[in-house]
Amino acid sequence: MDTLIAILIGTLFAAGVFCILRRNLMKLIIGIMLLSQAANLLVFTTGGLTKDKPTFAISETKLPPAGYADPLPQALVLTAIVIGFGLVVFTISLLLKAYRAVGSDDINAFNETDRIS
Amino acid sequence: MIWLLASILVPALCALLCLATSDRPQLNRRIAVAGAAMLLACSIKLFVDVLDQDFVSFQSGSWEAPFGITLIADLFSASMVLITGVVALAVAIYSLKDIEDSLVNSHYFALFHLLITGVNGAFITGDLFNMYVWFEVMLLASFVLITLGGGKSQLEGGVKYLIINLVSSILFLCGVGLLYAKLGTLNMADIAVRLAASEDAFLINSSAMFLLAAFGVKAALFPFFFWLPASYHTPRVAISALFAGLLTKVGIYALIRAYTLLFQSQFEAVQGILIFLAGATMVTGVLGAAAQYEIRKILSFHIVSQIGYMLMGLAIGSALAVAGAIFYTLHHIIVKTNLFLLGGVIMRRCGTADLKSIGGLYRWAPGFTLLFFIPAFSLGGIPPLSGFWAKFSVIKAGLDDGHYLLVTVALLVGVLTLYSMTKIWAEAFWKSAPNEKKPSPLGSGGWSLLAPCIALAVLTVAIGLWSAPLFGFAEAASAQLLDPQAYINEVLKLENIQQIANND
């Protein structure tokens, strides 16, 4: 299971970086989304991939079961998902406005600010 | 302790008030400037408190460290909060005339104060994930500010700024996640304690490199800085000045905090990389500046180059070097903001930012020329202005430790910095305008453009002429940074634990 998740995170990172480097604006947005999912999954896995061990106290021992799933990375990932979704919403609206202003969905057309004047 | 919280509560409340009054520009402007003035007063009080007590700390929700989030101001953080207050007030006054009513209606001042909240939060937090959250607050406010106005160049610059900074946030998150996986804590003091005790450097260095990349993008280090010259010259002048003064310095602050507090035990492993990055940043930045002919593009490349000097101070790592880096950061924030604001005044008076088509300012505006001379040649490192002491301390620290190649690079970059700064001087001030055009006057409300520039120039001269007290402060801050045991004791309350253990 650990190996599978590691390969999945790696694949998501690879796909995200590949999409970010494309010329199309839409693929750029998809690349950002894939990268943020990969990062969130990476932080989530640090909590331990155990089954059936929630962080609730069992009545016998008054403690959580041994090897319980760590709730802190889950909280971190929640924060990161929310921040990420807000940023993606802003990105999409900004790229839409930029597409209308520049007139092309090719990122290489955004070169007016790069000129040595 | 209340002043510590005030540095984030005052701008946050001011942002809410400005959000509520966005459709009444006059009232909005007054609230914004009053809020900035109050923030400066609270920052001064916090700074005085930290000078007395060495640390001011606060546990959120009264949860004990390392479980709760610590807010802690040491000498370095308090000085950065103070300088943020100064810059915020200066840019807020400049924005009175510079930002037109339609942008004020689009919540300019609310975003301004949200940005300041994020910046101050990043400076005073003692928890690594909390720093990520404050970075995001600052970043989102800056995304909206950089595209405010909606023109084609703003949107283009905004897209480039947005995408690269989003990637840096993702890298930061990965670094924090991997560090938590290895150590089990996010409190910076606790990370320092556990890292010093841990023998296994393998996984630690991977998260250190993630954090170096993330903070490197924010601070505009060598392979990561290309978003800065592509985007900093596009928004309104006041927004450019605010970004130039503050955002990259938050990145440098995070780098200094990470490599003096968190990864101090691994410092020798990364020192070579940091030295290389410092040299490369300096060189590429100044070569970019030497090639440009537009005022704000030259100044944007200068930011990159000067960041290289600050990183050089961190990379050399001795007490004098880190003191030099701190002094450089403080001096540079004031000088850079001032240069961008003055660049805006030049653009207003001459009608364009293109150096080839303006000129004659020395003849028609001699007072303004003197005003520009002070920060421009302070950046170039001419004594007795503040830039000279900053460069001197960093270079002397490099010579003391034997980094001769880096020092040679730094000196050559200094010459080129002077060249590109005198290019602005010669083109805009000395040569006469191409068709003998006189620069137009500033019009009513021009005082709001010039007053912050004059105040910041006076500060630069004061720092240059009375640099001993400020440099003494920088040395005290550097001593505090390089020996983090006092910081760790303050956060984790180790003496209390020892006392309780002894009493049992």
Side-chain angles (χ1 to χ4, degrees), chain A residues 1-71:
Chain A
M1 184 62 169
D2 292 337
T3 326
L4 197 58
I5 292 280
I7 295 176
L8 175 63
I9 294 175
T11 315
L12 280 174
F13 265 112
V17 171
F18 181 74
C19 283
I20 278 193
L21 296 173
R22 308 282 297 202
R23 278 163 63 167
N24 190 330
L25 284 180
M26 195 60 217
K27 296 191 177 115
L28 183 62
I29 301 174
I30 293 183
I32 291 283
M33 288 160 68
L34 286 173
L35 276 183
S36 82
Q37 308 301 6
N40 292 337
L41 200 53
L42 178 65
V43 178
F44 179 75
T45 5
T46 67
L49 296 168
T50 50
K51 280 170 64 169
D52 281 339
K53 293 203 171 79
T55 328
F56 296 125
I58 341 177
S59 50
E60 292 88 30
T61 57
K62 303 245 185 315
L63 287 173
Y68 63 88
D70 191 350

Side-chain angles (χ1 to χ4, degrees), chain A residues 13 20 25 28-29 31-32 35-40 42-43 46-47 70-73 75-77 79-81 83-84 86-88 90-92 94-95 97-99 101-103 107 109-117, chain B residues 129 132-133 136 139-140 143-144 147 149-160 162-163 166-167 169-171 173-178 180-181 184-186 210 226 229-231 233-234 291-294 297 354 356:
Chain A
F13 265 112
I20 278 193
L25 284 180
L28 183 62
I29 301 174
I32 291 283
L35 276 183
S36 82
Q37 308 301 6
N40 292 337
L42 178 65
V43 178
T46 67
D70 191 350
L72 181 63
L76 297 183
V77 172
T79 312
I81 289 177
I83 294 177
L87 288 172
V88 163
F90 180 78
T91 309
I92 293 177
L94 176 63
L95 286 181
K97 243 190 131 175
Y99 162 66
V102 174
I107 196 79
F110 285 46
N111 55 10
E112 195 186 306
T113 62
D114 293 336
R115 296 204 190 114
I116 298 181
S117 56
Chain B
F129 192 74
Y132 170 74
V133 172
E136 294 307 303
L139 217 57
L140 201 48
F143 288 159
V144 188
T147 52
K152 179 164 170 239
S153 62
Q154 272 107 15
L155 291 170
E156 271 189 34
V159 167
K160 289 165 197 168
L162 172 77
I163 299 294
L166 277 183
V167 173
S169 302
I170 291 169
L171 289 174
L173 188 59
C174 293
V176 171
L178 288 175
Y180 179 76
T185 176
L186 290 168
F210 265 113
F226 297 99
S231 58
H233 62 94
T234 51
Q292 303 285 345
Y293 267 94
E294 199 249 1
K297 285 187 187 172
D354 180 15
K356 292 193 193 111

Side-chain angles (χ1 to χ4, degrees), chain B residues 103 338 385 455 464:
Chain B
L103 287 189
N338 202 1
L385 295 169

Side-chain angles (χ1 to χ4, degrees), chain B residues 249-272:
Chain B
K249 313 309 177 297
V250 179
I252 278 286
Y253 168 86
L255 275 170
I256 293 180
R257 191 59 80 188
Y259 285 100
T260 56
L261 176 64
L262 301 180
F263 299 110
Q264 207 188 25
S265 43
Q266 266 78 29
F267 188 68
E268 287 74 33
V270 301
Q271 194 175 18

Side-chain angles (χ1 to χ4, degrees), chain B residues 23-168:
Chain B
D23 47 351
R24 282 177 288 181
Q26 280 306 100
L27 180 60
N28 202 358
R29 288 188 176 106
R30 288 191 189 124
I31 293 178
V33 173
M38 202 161 29
L39 173 65
L40 180 59
C42 296
S43 314
I44 293 176
K45 187 73 179 62
L46 173 67
F47 185 69
V48 166
D49 275 353
V50 173
L51 277 180
D52 275 338
Q53 305 164 20
D54 274 352
F55 295 102
V56 173
S57 69
F58 172 73
Q59 295 293 126
S60 314
S62 294
W63 294 106
E64 293 289 318
F67 306 111
I69 293 178
T70 313
L71 297 176
I72 176 167
D74 62 355
L75 287 173
F76 185 32
S77 309
S79 63
M80 297 297 279
V81 170
L82 177 62
I83 289 284
T84 306
V86 169
V87 164
L89 185 58
V91 176
I93 296 179
Y94 191 92
S95 314
L96 289 178
K97 166 120 173 136
D98 193 50
I99 302 290
E100 60 262 27
D101 280 356
S102 65
L103 287 189
V104 175
N105 289 342
S106 307
H107 317 295
Y108 165 75
F109 281 111
L111 292 162
F112 177 97
H113 280 285
L114 277 176
L115 183 78
I116 301 290
T117 314
V119 167
N120 277 346
F123 287 147
I124 63 174
T125 182
D127 179 286
L128 200 56
F129 192 74
N130 196 231
M131 189 182 266
Y132 170 74
V133 172
W134 289 120
F135 264 58
E136 294 307 303
V137 170
M138 176 181 88
L139 217 57
L140 201 48
S142 71
F143 288 159
V144 188
L145 278 174
I146 205 168
T147 52
L148 212 58
K152 179 164 170 239
S153 62
Q154 272 107 15
L155 291 170
E156 271 189 34
V159 167
K160 289 165 197 168
Y161 179 77
L162 172 77
I163 299 294
I164 301 187
N165 278 286
L166 277 183
V167 173
S168 100

Side-chain angles (χ1 to χ4, degrees), chain B residues 7 20 94 100 115 119 126 181 183 217 263 277 279 299 303 317 335 346 390 393 408-409 433-434 445 469 473:
Chain B
S7 64
Y94 191 92
E100 60 262 27
L115 183 78
V119 167
L183 297 173
V217 172
F263 299 110
L277 286 182
L299 294 174
I303 301 177
V335 163
I346 297 177
S393 55
T408 317
V409 167
F473 165 80

